[in-house]
Amino acid sequence: MNRPIRRISVVAMVMFALLLGNVTYSALVRYNTWNADPANNRVRDAQFGQDRGPILAAGQVPLAETEPSDGRFDYQRVYPTNPELYAPITGYYSYSYGRSALENSYNAELSGTDDSQFLSRVIDSVTGETPTGATVETTIVPAAQQAAWDGLAGRKGAVVAMNPQTGAILAMVTTPSYDPNELGTHDNDDASEAWTSLNDDADRPMANRAAREIYPPGSTFKLVTAAAALESGMSPDDEIDSPEQYTLPQTNTQLGNETNCGGDRVSLDQALQVSCNTAFAGLGVDLGAEALQAQADKFGFGTRPLPDLAAVASQFPDDPNGAQTALAAIGQGDVAASPLQMTMVTSGIANGGVVMDPYVVDTVRADDLSVLRQTQPRERSTAMSSENADALAEMMVHVVESGTGVNGQMSGVTVGGKTGTAQTTEERPPYAWFTAFGGEEGNPSVAVTVFIEEADIERSDIAGGRLAAPIARDVMEAVL
């Protein structure tokens, strides 16, 4: 064999080796990625012909399940229990428009293609049994979910309830909502009509206002400012300036109060009770933007919690000047948070300063009920010392006992909370907030945040107490 032929042979062997290596790599490594791609029609057709596993709420309440079908595919995905109520949790499973929420994040388990289900797939192929997807059991409590839905009563807004000791999401409601059955139909024309209608709706019914939208948190952010103050060495009894008007640094702009602060100097505890804007604005400037930023970060700002529902990060402004820092300290300006994030703040305070990682899926089970995956509570961060957290929790109890949050009171239950009304523009009404915890004294078992996008009342910090606090109370009652 002459030299040119040998060279060509070597090149050919190298190319074949590279080709074989690429095929092997694709089969072993890229397989799951390609399999999970919604644009993969072959896989999509196969999955729609399978018995997809159910999604359940606590108490085995079916939120999503699969029924036999005589139509285009052998099975039809349906959402049998108040589909609009649970849409932020289940999401939709559509041939034309893919998947969202748990239908997306647990698609492999629900469709039976997860690595943990490999053995059952082999057995099914040998025995000829129809493959069955896994069951996804959520932490959602139906009674709490219903109480949140009823409380919002059709107003734009959201409610999140969480166990502060574990991070389990007990309720997550967003309104307005949508019916995922309309997108899950196998009739492409009907699905297209529903998709167009939902996306053209100015009220954005497919928006998850609880976890995937951020808004000015208003005075509920004063909890973060108060936490930073306590961590800096202050006590609830330390007095701070509370003038009727506060001039924002480097400006001629006057910041006023919507409530009577109780004098020109009040304790930190009193300032939180009556939600004194000027006191917290000045306190925020004294603490400094870096301290506020650090405290917000410890509570989870700047990170993306709850990836199962693709939650977004809440934000604190980068390098704010004096005026921006003052506004940020009272939850205005460029501060923005989701209801989920503010629930994490309240949960961290109620849990002795420890913020737990929020989760919405408790257990994933195979069709033989064996456990494929079990969520274990996990600490996300330590936001503050236990002593300071207990002190701030007591300050929140005072807010509900005799401050702006009296509408959140519950007989026989210790409740601590914080109201908030966030101004946006002069053209639209303010946002109303209330975040609270409840349970046995010293051992709260539920934290709730209520957000109402269109409060349609006076711009007052008490607005959150008037509109949002009763909803939080009803949700806590449903849990407790």
Side-chain angles (χ1 to χ4, degrees), residues 221-229 280-299 301 316-317 320 322 324-331 335:
F221 190 82
K222 290 172 184 174
L223 294 174
V224 178
T225 305
F280 273 93
L283 177 61
V285 172
D286 291 341
L287 291 169
E290 289 186 5
L292 295 180
Q293 173 80 72
Q295 189 63 64
D297 289 349
K298 289 178 181 178
F299 279 115
F301 278 72
F316 187 88
Q324 292 168 333
T325 299
L327 291 175
I330 62 171
V335 175

Side-chain angles (χ1 to χ4, degrees), residues 268-293:
L268 181 60
D269 188 10
Q270 169 73 7
L272 191 71
Q273 281 188 54
V274 299
S275 201
C276 183
N277 284 339
T278 59
F280 273 93
L283 177 61
V285 172
D286 291 341
L287 291 169
E290 289 186 5
L292 295 180
Q293 173 80 72

